[in-house]
Amino acid sequence: MNTGREQQQVQRGQDTNEVARRATGFGRLLVAVYGVFALSATARAGYQIATKFDEAPVAYLLSAFAALVYILATITLAKSGIRSYWLSVAAVGIELLGVVAVGLLSLLDPELLPQDTVWSGFGQGYGYVPLLLPVIGLWWLWLHRPGAGQKPAEDRP
């Protein structure tokens, strides 16, 4: 018979295994796509800030913020562990809020963002992938949340 402490350790191990499976199969593709967006958004923001920051500082700073969000999402989606899981949820959630907010701003007040960002027009310049990616990412994280697929405690040996 397991003690309460042993049951907690078993449960933690199962949670960790479930979270570790996030980065396999389709999860690897998701991490790869986030990695590509992290690299492209970082390069774009770096170039814009270095060469023409005075033309549209808000837009270019938003591009840099998007790059940071993509970097954080890439790293945390690739790692296992509860902390990485919740950081992934936060990063992908912020990404979704950013895409929607910047997308609306770029349509409602185009003069505020005279130059496009990754998230302008809901990611129109990138085939709307920036809008779809966080939705798919949050769905994937929901499927691979800690404790998902575990038997209830009374069913465990």
Side-chain angles (χ1 to χ4, degrees):
M1 179 171 195
N2 288 344
T3 66
R5 184 180 181 120
E6 288 171 340
Q7 285 178 338
Q8 286 176 343
Q9 289 173 339
V10 168
Q11 184 178 358
R12 268 192 240 120
Q14 289 172 340
D15 286 350
T16 302
N17 289 338
E18 183 63 34
V19 175
R21 285 185 280 212
R22 269 194 344 255
T24 61
F26 180 77
R28 283 189 184 180
L29 176 62
L30 194 61
V31 170
V33 172
Y34 268 100
V36 168
F37 269 82
L39 287 172
S40 65
T42 301
R44 178 183 183 151
Y47 173 77
Q48 291 170 327
I49 290 170
T51 61
K52 48 189 179 178
F53 182 74
D54 55 334
E55 291 177 20
V58 173
Y60 300 149
L61 289 173
L62 280 172
S63 287
F65 178 73
L68 292 174
V69 170
Y70 285 125
I71 291 167
L72 179 63
T74 302
I75 292 167
T76 57
L77 283 167
K79 294 179 74 173
S80 63
I82 301 300
R83 184 175 183 194
S84 290
Y85 172 82
W86 288 111
L87 285 171
S88 295
V89 170
V92 176
I94 289 168
E95 175 195 3
L96 181 59
L97 290 174
V99 171
V100 171
V102 172
L104 284 172
L105 276 174
S106 64
L107 294 177
L108 298 175
D109 191 3
E111 285 133 25
L112 182 62
L113 300 172
Q115 297 293 323
D116 283 345
T117 72
V118 175
W119 294 340
S120 293
F122 304 101
Q124 180 180 9
Y126 290 84
Y128 298 101
V129 173
L131 180 61
L132 296 174
L133 193 58
V135 172
I136 293 167
L138 288 172
W139 167 76
W140 183 254
L141 287 165
W142 171 256
L143 290 178
H144 294 86
R145 67 194 181 278
Q150 282 188 2
K151 296 178 185 176
E154 63 271 2
D155 290 346
R156 286 191 214 128

